Amino acid sequence: MVVVSQYIAASGGAKWQALTRMVPMAIMARMTRDQLAKRIADVSLLRGEFTLRSGRKSNYYLDKYRFETQPDVLRALGELLAERVTTDIDRIAGAELGAVALAAAASMASGKPFVIIRNQKKDYGTSKLVEGVLNEGEKVLIVEDVLTTGGQVLEAARSLKDAGATVERIVAVIDRQEGARENIESAGYVFEALFTTADLGVEKP
């Protein structure tokens, strides 16, 4: 705080506004798990009639982009995901589009590199499904945003396996508790969710 005080005194009030934009991220207190759950629900829980990626109908929707684009939420999620990155993990992986920000946040918090899994190969450049450096035999942690049945993350796991990697664990931010855990574990993968819809206060009919 001495350095901050000296900076203010030396630069005058003109730079105070710029300083206040920098300091909060540097000294931001870590949210508790309950605070983070409430923050996610506050910014992303929508009510109405929605069709999910799985084709199911739902009277609520958790908009991943609404919580992943909040810096305080993304920072906190990156730290929680990094806690799941054990010493034997070589890389983190996230499928486009929603999990890319999570993979990047977890990578920065843990110091482990990450790769991006495409939904389909592009028809130019390297034409790869997995972008970034991934070596055969490496152990990977997959991060995901919101899971219903787990279909997309299982496709991502297959892409990594086809590339010669081993999927050690799949960690989602939110499990809607509609079959994802059962499908992922029956496929032979270790699964963990940071939160369930119940943690976010979602009352299902």
Side-chain angles (χ1 to χ4, degrees):
M1 294 307 293
V2 173
V3 174
V4 173
S5 298
Q6 291 174 343
Y7 176 86
I8 295 171
S11 61
K15 294 184 179 179
W16 171 249
Q17 187 176 5
L19 180 64
T20 56
R21 287 197 296 265
M22 295 185 293
V23 172
M25 285 301 293
I27 63 175
M28 185 187 299
R30 182 171 180 175
M31 284 186 280
T32 66
R33 185 175 182 278
D34 288 345
Q35 288 172 333
L36 180 55
K38 184 178 185 304
R39 179 85 170 102
I40 291 172
D42 286 346
V43 298
S44 68
L45 179 56
L46 307 175
R47 297 289 186 178
E49 295 300 322
F50 303 94
T51 300
L52 306 179
R53 184 180 185 276
S54 63
R56 295 184 180 183
K57 303 294 183 181
S58 176
N59 63 357
Y60 74 94
Y61 184 67
L62 289 159
D63 189 336
K64 57 196 174 188
Y65 300 115
R66 291 174 69 95
F67 70 75
E68 288 179 8
T69 52
Q70 299 298 317
D72 59 330
V73 175
L74 185 60
R75 176 177 179 269
L77 290 175
E79 291 175 349
L80 284 179
L81 292 169
E83 292 175 2
R84 276 74 182 171
V85 181
T86 53
T87 55
D88 60 327
I89 297 295
D90 298 301
R91 297 186 193 276
I92 300 163
E96 64 168 330
L97 178 61
V100 175
L102 296 172
S107 174
M108 289 188 288
S110 66
K112 295 282 187 176
F114 76 100
V115 294
I116 299 168
I117 308 162
R118 288 183 172 275
N119 292 327
Q120 59 183 14
K121 291 182 180 180
K122 57 185 181 181
D123 57 4
Y124 58 90
T126 58
S127 300
K128 297 190 299 183
L129 269 178
V130 180
E131 299 288 359
V133 178
L134 180 66
N135 301 309
E136 187 171 355
E138 287 189 323
K139 297 180 178 180
V140 179
L141 169 75
I142 299 178
V143 297
E144 255 295 0
D145 38 60
V146 183
L147 292 183
T148 303
T149 63
Q152 183 178 21
V153 78
L154 288 174
E155 291 175 10
R158 281 191 289 271
S159 296
L160 290 171
K161 183 178 179 180
D162 290 344
T166 299
V167 176
E168 287 293 298
R169 178 176 295 189
I170 295 171
V171 182
V173 174
I174 302 168
D175 178 9
R176 287 177 58 106
Q177 298 179 298
E178 297 180 33
R181 175 178 292 278
E182 292 78 7
N183 292 336
I184 292 169
E185 291 180 345
S186 65
Y189 299 109
V190 176
F191 175 69
E192 181 182 358
L194 301 182
F195 302 98
T196 65
T197 46
D199 295 324
L200 303 184
V202 176
E203 296 181 1
K204 297 182 180 181

